[in-house]
């Protein structure tokens, strides 16, 4: 996105660092549980509390998750990587260092495809992914004078996923985060819940004149929703443009986004920046991966959103938009495919897609329930679509039936039967009604004869009204055209 | 002094095995010796009640026909090993009141084999020192005195309390830890045997860390056989320590064949440092002669990067320490000063009061060498040199099976000497540090007395995980030296 300043046009250059909490039972270097929401300091091992003489032992599951994520990002897996210590003092960092990866991360360069609003697809580079420990939480609001520390989160495994500075707008940043989250969820390596903090984002941003070399960047820390990321980008980019246009220079620094005041604030400058004194953790051996294990993990990867989208378009003839909407969440795609598969073979993909993305997702959103708790499951929705397909009910009636199904959880056939909603397809029966209506409305019939085709629609409406919508619309149209000679 | 404290660990084991002696009797004798030796300040914490309870439990096990490798043997434990429910200080003020809720793997192994805890021994603060004088609890005193002087001597360090306790016949053996010589140098100063195993042989879990890539636990005993017995009980793979090695533990005692015929012994020419006292030269030559007489082939070898070992060590060890000791911040355990002040003031006050001068010096050095802009010149360079030093040894072991060197460049010095000159103090480690950097096993065996009547040790350094050859040749040196001098404190 280009920003029009007072002195011309500016381009924003954005790179994102995402901290994604690894799904694992135990922490990265200890056996303590990672479950969210437990009582403070109830999930802390001796290692997590950095008691004297305690040593980290790498959790194989976390390594597997990082490899899986790397493969999902089509990234290079480094068969040799090194855990290093990042040294700084803070009460929620018990050892006084965070075990992270620095010079030799477990995952190198990869790519991610953004699905943009206009249906365009854009490739963004992944710089690296590395494993590191999360810190604990400092609680400043428990006491007016004291700070309390909760170490439940201390030592939980994070994947830091760093993009290349390939993003150019808040929309692209949003699309990147949504796509990354989608891939992580497909892989089962991170639940992507930004509100629980299991996915957090730092924004690196600079502005420049289009075509110029990169400007000085700032890093905005810990922005905890996609909406806030987009806001922070917008605000920080405008701030930098204002600084530059008023003759100033952008300072390389760490900033904080305050969503309440809608501004970014300086947190610490480059001069105040910590010297983390990274060095290889002597308590841990370099991590060497068996290529056979990596191949095994690769072979077991699920079908990922891009591949699924392609398949939905190629095999089912779906539009890019429909396919994109369906594959964003793995469960939605699975639901779509479950509805698609009828007892008598494949249902019409286009119809299924329209119903799933339309009425069905609409009902889900409106009622605020998830797929698992929805009153209408794939089989019931499929049953409804079958009644449309075999002309038992019209699409119009089907909407009402669906609403009833959502309210009661009853199958479509039962509702149609009980309420007598079966479509009238008997041409003779409909013809009698058509004849009566044409006879009762000679003026309108005359208008049609004079060439006013719009009035045909009025007749269709009258017939549908007379049949409570149950007349097959195709038959009605055909008969009316014959009778009115339109 | 009871005769029961003058026997060796192996002799005690055999007497216990024949039921000619109970652990209770043995332990009571040693607990009394510990008490009698209080002037030496070898122990920070004595645990006589626990010792007696453990001894009685041991006797009960033996009565049931159960006996571990160290069944009923009273030992002293360096106060760097975390012991469940027993104050663990690392010789530092900053760990005030710290009682671990867990037991280090090495001590747990010892208790599993039936050993009895007499107490926790004094040490240089966080194992940083070669004199035991940096301890917050005051220096431990060497039970030896010069023949011509009554000056109090240091027992060496950092495992000085353990060395003094074993030399003063307070314990049949003690654990030590060795980072750059902290087992071998005090063993040499105190006239006992000290074995630093191969890095990875004993678990580091539950040992307060100094420099993680160097720290290694080992036995300190009065005989080579006792060291072999104790090491077997201490060693073993520990899944809780990623750097411990998964290799079976041999019966080290069985390796003591007394036969070194055909064994090739290397004498590294670079160890003939300028200014080495003549009596150290002489004891070294004596060792060469003994081994030659026993049928070994002694030849000169070269370890060309030896002169870089000490500076390399004094970059790597402080670098790791600066990070390892960051956890002592007053937040969770131990000392907290200025607890009502803002965070940074609390940190500063706690660490200023909690750490002694030597620890502070090393933390500053370590922080410096890891800093942006200096990292490559110091830490990274030191890592590179370290690998060259390891390569020197590997190359030498293409030609020889063991290396023979003096353990330390001097006999024990007096308390107060060298205290104002850190570099002179660091030179104590000149012969022990290279093997530490290479992770190799080394033993110090008492070989004779200096002109003024102080013990001098000889060091044997072997291939990685070849403690058996180290012990075998150590046994031959021991037999040839027939070292039977008694420290003044015991003889008195």
């Amino acid at each position: 996105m280009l920003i029009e300043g007072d002195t011309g046009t500016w381009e924003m250059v954005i790179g994102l660092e995402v901290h994604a909490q690894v799904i694992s039972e135990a922490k990265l270097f200890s056996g303590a549980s990672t479950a969210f929401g437990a009582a403070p300091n109830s999930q802390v091992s001796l290692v997590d509390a950095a008691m004297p003489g305690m040593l980290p032992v790498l959790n194989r599951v976390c390594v597997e998750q990082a490899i899986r994520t790397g493969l999902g990002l089509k990234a290079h897996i480094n068969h040799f990587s090194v855990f290093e210590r990042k040294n700084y003092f803070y009460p929620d960092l018990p050892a006084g260092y965070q075990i992270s990866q620095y010079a030799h991360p477990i995952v190198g360069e990869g790519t991610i495809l953004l699905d943009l609003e206009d249906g365009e697809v854009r490739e963004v580079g992944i710089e690296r992914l590395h494993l590191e420990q999360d810190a604990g939480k400092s609680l400043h609001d428990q006491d007016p004078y004291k700070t309390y520390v909760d170490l439940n989160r201390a030592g939980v495994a994070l994947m830091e996923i760093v993009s290349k500075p390939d993003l150019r707008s808040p929309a692209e940043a949003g699309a990147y985060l949504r796509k990354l989250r989608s891939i992580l969820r497909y892989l089962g390596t991170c639940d992507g819940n930004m509100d629980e903090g299991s996915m957090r984002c730092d924004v690196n941003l600079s502005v420049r004149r289009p075509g110029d070399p990169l400007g000085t960047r700032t890093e905005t820390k810990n922005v905890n929703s996609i909406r806030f990321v987009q806001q922070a980008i917008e605000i920080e980019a405008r701030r930098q443009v204002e600084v530059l246009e008023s003759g100033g220079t952008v300072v390389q620094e760490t900033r904080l986004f305050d969503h309440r005041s809608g501004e970014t604030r300086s947190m610490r400058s480059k001069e105040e920046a910590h010297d983390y004194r990274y060095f290889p953790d002597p308590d841990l051996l370099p991590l060497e991966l068996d290529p056979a294990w990596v191949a095994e993990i690769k072979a077991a990867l699920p079908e990922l959103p891009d591949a699924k989208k392609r398949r939905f378009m190629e095999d089912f003839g779906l539009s890019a938009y429909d396919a994109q909407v369906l594959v964003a969440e793995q469960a939605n795609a699975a639901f779509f495919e479950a509805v698609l598969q009828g007892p008598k073979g494949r249902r019409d993909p286009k119809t299924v897609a329209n119903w799933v993305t339309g009425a069905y997702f609409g009902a889900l959103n409106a009622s605020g329930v998830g797929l698992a708790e929805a009153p209408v499951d794939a089989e019931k929705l499929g049953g409804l679509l079958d009644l449309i397909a075999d002309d038992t009910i019209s699409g119009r009636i089907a909407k009402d039936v669906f609403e009833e199904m959502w309210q009661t959880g009853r199958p479509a056939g039962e509702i149609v039967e009980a309420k007598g909603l079966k479509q009238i397809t008997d041409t003779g029966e409909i013809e009698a009604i058509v004849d009566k209506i044409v006879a009762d409305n000679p003026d309108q019939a005359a208008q049609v004869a004079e060439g006013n085709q719009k009035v045909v629609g009025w007749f269709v409406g009258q017939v549908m009204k007379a049949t409570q919508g149950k007349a097959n619309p195709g038959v009605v149209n055909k008969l009316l055209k014959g009778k009115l000679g339109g | 002094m009871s005769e029961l404290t003058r026997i060796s660990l192996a002799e005690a084991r055999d007497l216990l095995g024949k039921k000619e002696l109970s652990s209770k009797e043995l332990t009571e004798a040693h607990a009394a010796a510990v008490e009698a030796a209080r002037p030496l300040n070898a122990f920070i914490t004595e645990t006589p009640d626990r010792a007696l309870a453990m001894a009685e439990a041991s006797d009960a096990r033996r009565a049931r026909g159960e006996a571990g490798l160290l069944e009923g043997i009273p030992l002293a434990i360096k106060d760097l090993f975390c012991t469940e429910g027993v104050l663990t200080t690392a010789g530092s003020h900053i760990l005030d009141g710290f009682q671990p809720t867990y037991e280090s793997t090495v001590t747990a192994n010892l208790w599993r084999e039936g050993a009895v805890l007499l107490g926790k021994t004094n040490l240089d603060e966080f194992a940083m020192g070669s004199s035991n004088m940096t301890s917050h609890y005051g220096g431990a005193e060497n039970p030896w005195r010069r023949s011509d002087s009554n000056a109090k001597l240091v027992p060496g360090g950092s495992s000085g309390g353990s060395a003094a306790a074993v030399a003063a016949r307070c314990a049949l053996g003690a654990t030590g830890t060795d980072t750059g010589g902290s087992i071998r140098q005090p063993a040499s100063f105190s006239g006992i045997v000290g074995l630093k195993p191969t890095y990875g042989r004993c678990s580091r879990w539950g040992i307060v860390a100094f420099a993680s890539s160097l720290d290694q636990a080992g036995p300190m005993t009065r005989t080579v056989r006792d060291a072999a017995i104790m090491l077997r009980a201490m060693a073993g793979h520990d899944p809780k320590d990623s750097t411990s090695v998964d290799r079976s533990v041999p019966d080290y005692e069985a390796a003591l064949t007394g036969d070194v015929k055909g064994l090739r012994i290397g004498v590294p020419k670079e160890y003939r440092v300028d200014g080495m006292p003549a009596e150290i030269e002489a004891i070294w030559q004596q060792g060469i002669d003994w081994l030659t007489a026993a049928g070994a082939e002694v030849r000169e070898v070269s370890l060309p990067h030896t002169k870089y070992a000490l500076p390399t060590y004094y970059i790597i060890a402080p670098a790791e320490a600066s990070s390892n000791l960051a956890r002592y911040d007053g937040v969770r355990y131990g000392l907290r000063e200025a607890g009502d002040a803002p965070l940074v003031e609390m940190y500063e006050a706690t660490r200023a009061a909690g750490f002694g001068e030597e620890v502070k010096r090393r933390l500053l050095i370590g922080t410096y060498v890891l800093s942006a802009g200096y990292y490559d010149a110091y830490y990274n360079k030191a890592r590179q040199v370290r690998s060259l030093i390891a390569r020197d040894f590997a190359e030498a072991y293409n030609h020889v099976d063991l290396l023979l060197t003096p353990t330390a460049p001097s006999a024990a010095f007096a308390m107060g000497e060298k205290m104002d000159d850190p570099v002179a103090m660091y030179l104590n480690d000149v012969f022990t540090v290279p093997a530490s950097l290479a992770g190799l096993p080394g033993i110090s065996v008492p070989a004779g007395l200096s002109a003024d009547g102080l013990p001098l040790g000889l060091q044997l350094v072997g291939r990685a995980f070849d403690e058996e050859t180290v012990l075998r040749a150590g046994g031959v040196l021991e037999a040839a030296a027939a070292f039977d001098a008694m420290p003044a404190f015991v003889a008195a």
Side-chain angles (χ1 to χ4, degrees):
Chain A
M1 192 175 84
L2 298 177
I3 300 173
E4 290 305 326
D6 295 339
T7 61
T9 305
W10 299 86
E11 178 186 45
M12 53 175 88
V13 177
I14 308 156
L16 298 180
E17 284 176 27
V18 169
H19 289 88
Q21 184 181 320
V22 173
I23 293 177
S24 64
E25 296 282 314
K27 296 181 179 180
L28 183 53
F29 296 109
S30 86
S33 166
T34 59
F36 179 78
N41 294 312
S42 63
Q43 295 175 166
V44 185
S45 76
L46 296 167
V47 176
D48 305 328
M51 299 304 284
M54 293 299 98
L55 299 172
V57 176
L58 182 58
N59 180 347
R60 184 183 169 93
V61 172
C62 299
V63 175
E64 187 175 340
Q65 293 287 56
I67 296 168
R68 184 173 287 126
T69 306
L71 293 169
L73 297 172
K74 300 182 194 70
H76 180 74
I77 306 299
N78 292 322
H79 290 161
F80 176 91
S81 66
V82 176
F83 286 100
E84 305 207 25
R85 293 184 183 178
K86 178 181 182 179
N87 295 282
Y88 65 94
F89 283 93
Y90 206 68
D92 61 22
L93 186 74
Y97 56 83
Q98 174 196 36
I99 306 177
S100 180
Q101 296 188 304
Y102 186 60
H104 304 279
I106 184 167
V107 175
E109 293 184 330
T111 55
I112 195 164
L113 295 178
L114 306 193
D115 305 286
L116 301 172
E117 292 285 334
D118 52 8
E120 197 197 326
V121 171
R122 199 159 114 51
E123 186 176 299
V124 168
I126 298 289
E127 176 69 32
R128 58 184 277 162
L129 175 155
H130 71 248
L131 276 169
E132 63 183 28
Q133 297 175 300
D134 206 345
K137 256 187 208 158
S138 291
L139 310 171
H140 302 292
D141 54 359
Q142 309 285 303
D143 183 284
Y145 305 108
K146 291 179 181 144
T147 294
Y148 287 80
V149 177
D150 176 8
L151 295 179
N152 282 353
R153 214 179 57 186
V156 166
L158 298 178
M159 296 178 284
E160 180 171 320
I161 304 166
V162 183
S163 84
K164 291 191 180 290
D166 289 350
L167 300 162
R168 294 291 177 270
S169 69
E172 287 186 2
Y176 172 86
L177 290 172
R178 278 190 294 273
K179 187 56 173 283
L180 178 61
R181 184 171 62 183
S182 170
I183 291 171
L184 295 173
R185 286 175 171 167
Y186 266 71
L187 293 166
T189 56
C190 170
D191 66 25
N193 293 334
M194 291 186 89
D195 49 354
E196 286 180 6
S198 48
M199 199 169 129
R200 307 192 285 270
C201 184
D202 301 338
V203 178
N204 288 302
L205 184 144
S206 62
V207 298
R208 64 176 173 187
R209 300 289 189 189
D212 275 6
L214 290 174
T216 303
R217 67 183 169 87
T218 61
E219 181 181 11
T220 304
K221 281 265 182 211
N222 261 327
V223 199
N224 55 15
S225 79
I226 293 177
R227 194 161 59 90
F228 289 159
V229 167
Q230 294 181 322
Q231 281 177 14
I233 289 171
E234 189 89 46
I235 288 162
E236 176 59 14
R238 291 201 179 281
R239 186 192 70 84
Q240 290 188 14
V241 166
E242 275 167 31
V243 167
L244 293 171
E245 291 199 329
S246 61
T249 50
V250 173
V251 183
Q252 187 180 334
E253 63 182 352
T254 303
R255 300 180 70 84
L256 268 182
F257 173 64
D258 183 341
H259 64 89
R260 281 174 294 250
S261 66
E263 58 179 18
T264 67
R265 273 202 307 271
S266 179
M267 197 169 123
R268 53 176 182 259
S269 69
K270 194 181 171 188
E271 287 70 40
E272 296 169 82
H274 294 298
D275 180 355
Y276 290 120
R277 292 171 283 123
Y278 280 98
F279 74 106
D281 191 328
D283 288 333
L284 293 160
L285 304 173
L287 177 56
E288 292 182 52
L289 302 178
D290 176 0
W293 187 43
V294 177
E296 211 175 284
I297 296 169
K298 187 169 188 178
L301 286 186
E303 182 186 37
L304 291 171
D306 291 326
K308 205 181 280 286
K309 180 181 171 188
R310 203 177 319 120
R311 180 165 64 82
F312 282 10
M313 291 169 71
E314 284 170 7
D315 292 4
F316 306 145
L318 299 188
S319 69
Y321 178 80
D322 280 351
Q324 172 49 35
V325 170
L326 285 170
V327 304
E329 299 278 347
Q330 196 173 27
N332 292 348
F335 181 79
F336 165 75
E337 293 205 72
V339 179
L340 195 59
Q341 198 50 53
K344 286 171 280 177
R346 199 173 89 182
R347 297 183 171 112
D348 175 48
K350 196 73 197 149
T351 308
V352 173
N354 285 343
W355 271 87
V356 169
T357 60
Y360 194 82
F361 284 177
L364 276 182
N365 280 341
S367 58
V369 298
L371 265 181
E373 309 92 55
V376 177
D377 62 13
E379 195 188 332
K380 283 181 185 157
L381 180 61
L384 175 67
L385 301 190
D386 287 345
L387 294 180
I388 304 172
D390 67 9
D391 279 341
T392 305
I393 55 172
S394 68
R396 249 281 300 123
I397 291 286
K399 295 242 154 67
D400 298 338
V401 174
F402 176 72
E403 250 174 56
E404 180 86 12
M405 290 166 75
W406 196 269
Q407 299 306 322
T408 63
R410 289 164 66 201
E414 236 180 87
I415 294 168
V416 167
E417 202 61 47
K419 297 207 153 182
L421 298 174
K422 245 182 150 139
Q423 183 164 246
I424 303 164
T425 47
D426 179 337
T427 314
E429 195 180 331
I430 298 174
E431 189 169 8
I433 297 164
V434 167
D435 282 345
K436 184 170 183 301
I437 291 173
V438 171
D440 289 352
N441 297 287
D443 293 353
Q444 283 82 355
Q447 285 178 29
V448 177
E450 284 158 19
N452 190 346
Q453 289 297 314
K454 279 186 194 159
V455 184
V456 177
W458 180 82
F459 275 105
V460 173
Q462 293 303 305
V463 176
M464 296 311 276
K465 197 169 161 189
T467 59
Q468 289 115 48
K470 288 185 286 183
N472 181 315
V475 174
V476 173
N477 265 311
K478 200 171 150 211
L479 283 169
L480 276 171
K481 289 202 174 165
K483 303 281 175 192
L484 298 167
Chain B
M1 180 160 291
S2 163
E3 283 305 310
L4 289 179
T5 61
R6 294 183 181 241
I7 58 178
S8 71
L9 187 154
E11 287 163 348
R13 174 194 63 183
D14 296 344
L15 289 171
L16 287 164
K18 286 186 274 183
K19 303 200 177 170
E20 291 173 16
L21 177 66
S22 71
S23 176
K24 185 163 184 274
E25 294 168 83
L26 187 65
T27 299
E28 279 171 344
H30 281 92
V34 169
E35 195 178 333
R38 276 183 192 162
L40 296 179
N41 197 27
F43 286 81
I44 291 172
T45 304
E46 298 170 11
T47 57
D49 296 342
R50 181 179 287 237
L52 202 59
M54 289 175 88
E56 283 169 351
S58 170
D59 287 333
R61 278 195 300 275
R62 192 179 291 282
R64 292 197 300 271
E66 301 162 17
L69 292 170
L70 294 171
E71 195 60 59
I73 301 290
L75 299 176
I77 301 297
K78 184 178 187 180
D79 205 15
L80 203 62
F81 293 79
C82 290
T83 42
E84 190 176 349
V86 177
L87 182 70
T88 298
T89 69
S92 181
H93 185 32
I94 209 159
L95 273 170
D96 272 8
F98 174 60
Q99 290 199 6
T101 57
Y102 48 93
E103 188 75 31
S104 83
T105 297
V106 162
T107 49
N109 289 347
L110 293 173
W111 315 144
R112 187 195 63 217
E113 295 297 340
V116 168
L117 171 66
L118 286 168
K120 307 288 295 287
T121 56
N122 205 344
L123 71 160
D124 281 299
E125 185 180 6
F126 284 105
M128 298 181 192
S130 309
S131 65
N132 209 133
M133 295 300 287
T134 73
S135 170
H136 172 67
Y137 296 88
E141 188 188 322
N142 197 323
W144 293 80
R145 294 274 166 99
R146 289 177 185 134
S147 51
D148 57 359
S149 149
N150 215 19
K152 291 180 178 179
L153 307 178
V154 302
S158 65
S159 311
S162 286
V166 172
R169 273 67 179 169
C170 298
L172 292 171
T175 60
T177 64
D178 190 315
T179 305
S182 278
I183 286 175
R184 292 160 288 165
Q185 184 257 21
S188 178
F189 277 20
S190 305
I192 64 166
V193 174
L195 172 62
K196 181 198 92 77
T198 311
Y199 183 78
R201 179 73 287 185
C202 293
S203 170
R204 293 186 294 113
W205 193 89
I207 301 173
V208 176
F210 162 17
S212 310
S213 74
L214 294 155
D215 295 343
Q216 185 60 206
M220 303 178 77
T221 55
R222 289 194 293 272
T223 72
V224 172
R225 179 172 301 276
D226 292 356
I229 295 167
M230 225 179 124
L231 177 61
R232 186 178 174 193
M234 294 169 72
H237 176 239
D238 180 4
K240 292 187 288 188
D241 174 1
S242 309
T243 64
S244 93
V245 175
D246 193 1
R247 293 172 73 115
S248 62
V249 179
D251 177 356
Y252 293 113
E253 198 178 358
L256 303 177
T257 60
D259 181 7
V260 292
K261 281 191 197 68
L263 200 67
R264 298 165 304 166
I265 310 276
V267 174
K269 62 179 182 189
E270 290 80 5
Y271 280 48
R272 296 191 190 282
V273 292
D274 287 343
M276 179 154 45
E279 59 188 7
I280 302 292
E281 290 260 21
I283 200 82
W284 193 4
Q285 186 57 48
Q286 181 64 260
I288 292 168
D289 294 345
W290 283 329
L291 288 171
T292 306
E297 298 168 24
V298 180
R299 62 181 77 163
E300 190 174 85
V301 294
S302 174
L303 301 172
H305 297 91
T306 297
K307 67 178 168 190
Y308 303 116
L310 214 51
T312 298
Y313 174 85
Y314 277 99
I315 290 169
I316 287 174
E320 293 181 9
S322 71
S323 176
N324 281 335
L325 272 62
R327 66 187 58 199
Y328 308 107
D329 57 6
V331 174
R332 296 171 314 287
Y333 46 78
L335 186 72
R336 177 187 292 180
E337 293 282 334
D340 293 330
L343 178 66
V344 172
E345 281 174 46
M346 187 279 281
Y347 279 158
E348 289 173 353
T350 300
R351 290 169 66 86
F355 292 136
E357 290 308 305
E358 183 59 29
V359 169
K360 284 177 190 162
R361 175 161 32 245
R362 297 198 196 191
L363 297 188
L364 286 173
I365 291 170
T367 302
Y368 179 80
V369 299
L370 289 174
S371 303
Y374 300 98
Y375 185 89
D376 285 332
Y378 292 103
Y379 183 73
N380 239 0
K381 185 63 75 181
R383 271 163 57 91
Q384 289 162 358
V385 175
R386 182 177 187 177
S387 66
L388 292 176
I389 288 166
R391 208 165 68 191
D392 283 354
F393 281 101
E395 168 61 22
Y397 289 128
N398 287 329
H399 309 289
V400 297
D401 303 303
L402 276 180
L403 298 171
L404 175 71
T405 78
T407 306
S410 74
F413 46 88
M415 289 178 150
E417 274 176 35
K418 307 191 192 200
M419 299 302 154
D420 51 0
D421 185 352
V423 175
M425 192 66 90
Y426 296 169
L427 282 170
N428 268 285
D429 300 329
V430 66
F431 299 133
T432 47
V433 149
S436 292
L437 288 169
L440 301 173
I443 196 168
S444 177
V445 177
L449 295 177
S450 64
D452 50 7
L454 294 179
L456 297 172
L458 285 174
Q459 173 180 237
L460 289 162
V461 176
R463 294 188 180 94
F465 297 101
D466 191 14
E467 282 82 2
E468 289 162 285
T469 303
V470 171
L471 285 160
R472 175 157 59 100
V476 169
L477 269 188
E478 178 184 52
F483 184 88
D484 58 3
M486 279 285 180
F489 186 84
V490 178

